[in-house]
Amino acid sequence: MNADQTEALIGMLFTFGLLVLMVLPSVLGILRDRRIDRSIREAQQAHRDQESATREPEAQKSSSRSTVPSTATWYADGRRSKKLVSS
Protein backbone atom coordinates (compact mmCIF):
# COMPACT_ATOMS: atom_id res chain seq x y z
CA MET A 1 0.00 0.00 0.00
CA ASN A 2 1.52 3.30 -1.06
CA ALA A 3 1.06 6.77 0.44
CA ASP A 4 -1.80 7.75 -1.88
CA GLN A 5 -3.82 4.68 -0.93
CA THR A 6 -3.14 5.28 2.77
CA GLU A 7 -4.33 8.88 2.49
CA ALA A 8 -7.45 7.75 0.63
CA LEU A 9 -8.19 5.14 3.30
CA ILE A 10 -7.73 7.68 6.11
CA GLY A 11 -9.97 10.15 4.27
CA MET A 12 -12.69 7.55 3.76
CA LEU A 13 -12.55 6.47 7.40
CA PHE A 14 -12.71 10.09 8.56
CA THR A 15 -15.69 10.77 6.27
CA PHE A 16 -17.45 7.62 7.48
CA GLY A 17 -16.77 8.60 11.09
CA LEU A 18 -18.30 12.05 10.52
CA LEU A 19 -21.33 10.45 8.87
CA VAL A 20 -21.82 8.13 11.84
CA LEU A 21 -21.48 11.04 14.29
CA MET A 22 -24.08 13.05 12.39
CA VAL A 23 -26.60 10.21 11.96
CA LEU A 24 -26.24 8.63 15.40
CA PRO A 25 -28.28 11.22 17.38
CA SER A 26 -31.26 10.95 15.04
CA VAL A 27 -31.18 7.14 15.11
CA LEU A 28 -31.04 7.19 18.91
CA GLY A 29 -33.96 9.65 18.97
CA ILE A 30 -36.04 7.43 16.70
CA LEU A 31 -35.35 4.40 18.89
CA ARG A 32 -36.26 6.38 22.03
CA ASP A 33 -39.53 7.60 20.46
CA ARG A 34 -40.47 4.05 19.47
CA ARG A 35 -39.79 2.83 23.00
CA ILE A 36 -41.95 5.61 24.46
CA ASP A 37 -44.75 4.94 21.94
CA ARG A 38 -44.70 1.25 22.83
CA SER A 39 -44.93 1.97 26.56
CA ILE A 40 -47.81 4.41 25.98
CA ARG A 41 -49.69 1.80 23.92
CA GLU A 42 -49.14 -0.81 26.64
CA ALA A 43 -50.38 1.61 29.33
CA GLN A 44 -53.48 2.47 27.27
CA GLN A 45 -54.23 -1.20 26.71
CA ALA A 46 -53.83 -1.93 30.41
CA HIS A 47 -56.15 0.99 31.21
CA ARG A 48 -58.76 -0.28 28.73
CA ASP A 49 -58.51 -3.78 30.17
CA GLN A 50 -58.92 -2.43 33.69
CA GLU A 51 -61.94 -0.32 32.66
CA SER A 52 -63.63 -3.22 30.92
CA ALA A 53 -63.07 -5.47 33.95
CA THR A 54 -64.59 -2.95 36.39
CA ARG A 55 -67.45 -1.78 34.14
CA GLU A 56 -70.87 -3.34 34.60
CA PRO A 57 -72.32 -5.05 31.54
CA GLU A 58 -74.41 -2.57 29.58
CA ALA A 59 -77.18 -3.17 27.10
CA GLN A 60 -75.78 -4.11 23.74
CA LYS A 61 -75.86 -1.28 21.24
CA SER A 62 -76.63 -1.88 17.60
CA SER A 63 -73.57 0.03 16.47
CA SER A 64 -70.61 1.81 17.94
CA ARG A 65 -70.78 4.48 15.25
CA SER A 66 -72.17 7.92 15.87
CA THR A 67 -75.84 8.53 15.08
CA VAL A 68 -75.22 12.06 13.85
CA PRO A 69 -76.40 12.44 10.24
CA SER A 70 -73.74 12.99 7.62
CA THR A 71 -73.38 16.14 5.56
CA ALA A 72 -75.04 14.40 2.63
CA THR A 73 -78.10 13.67 4.78
CA TRP A 74 -78.34 17.28 5.91
CA TYR A 75 -78.05 18.44 2.31
CA ALA A 76 -80.69 15.98 1.13
CA ASP A 77 -83.07 16.99 3.95
CA GLY A 78 -82.67 20.64 3.01
CA ARG A 79 -83.39 19.95 -0.65
CA ARG A 80 -86.41 17.82 0.18
CA SER A 81 -87.91 20.52 2.37
CA LYS A 82 -87.36 23.17 -0.31
CA LYS A 83 -88.92 20.94 -2.91
CA LEU A 84 -91.99 20.33 -0.76
CA VAL A 85 -92.40 24.05 -0.08
CA SER A 86 -92.09 25.05 -3.74
CA SER A 87 -94.64 22.50 -5.04
Side-chain angles (χ1 to χ4, degrees), residues 38-50:
R38 185 172 51 244
S39 65
I40 289 172
R41 277 195 307 271
E42 289 171 357
Q44 287 175 339
Q45 184 63 38
H47 183 67
R48 274 190 241 123
D49 292 344
Q50 183 181 12

Side-chain angles (χ1 to χ4, degrees), residues 69-85:
S70 68
T71 305
T73 305
W74 287 103
Y75 178 73
D77 286 343
R79 289 187 54 92
R80 277 189 220 119
S81 64
K82 287 179 186 174
K83 195 172 192 179
L84 291 173
V85 170

Side-chain angles (χ1 to χ4, degrees), residues 17-47:
L18 284 176
L19 177 67
V20 168
L21 285 175
M22 292 177 72
V23 171
L24 188 64
S26 61
V27 170
L28 293 176
I30 291 169
L31 293 175
R32 179 177 176 266
D33 286 346
R34 289 178 61 133
R35 187 189 69 215
I36 291 170
D37 289 343
R38 185 172 51 244
S39 65
I40 289 172
R41 277 195 307 271
E42 289 171 357
Q44 287 175 339
Q45 184 63 38
H47 183 67

Side-chain angles (χ1 to χ4, degrees), residues 1-10 12-13:
M1 188 180 277
N2 61 22
D4 290 336
Q5 291 174 331
T6 304
E7 284 182 22
L9 180 63
I10 291 171
M12 285 191 331
L13 290 175

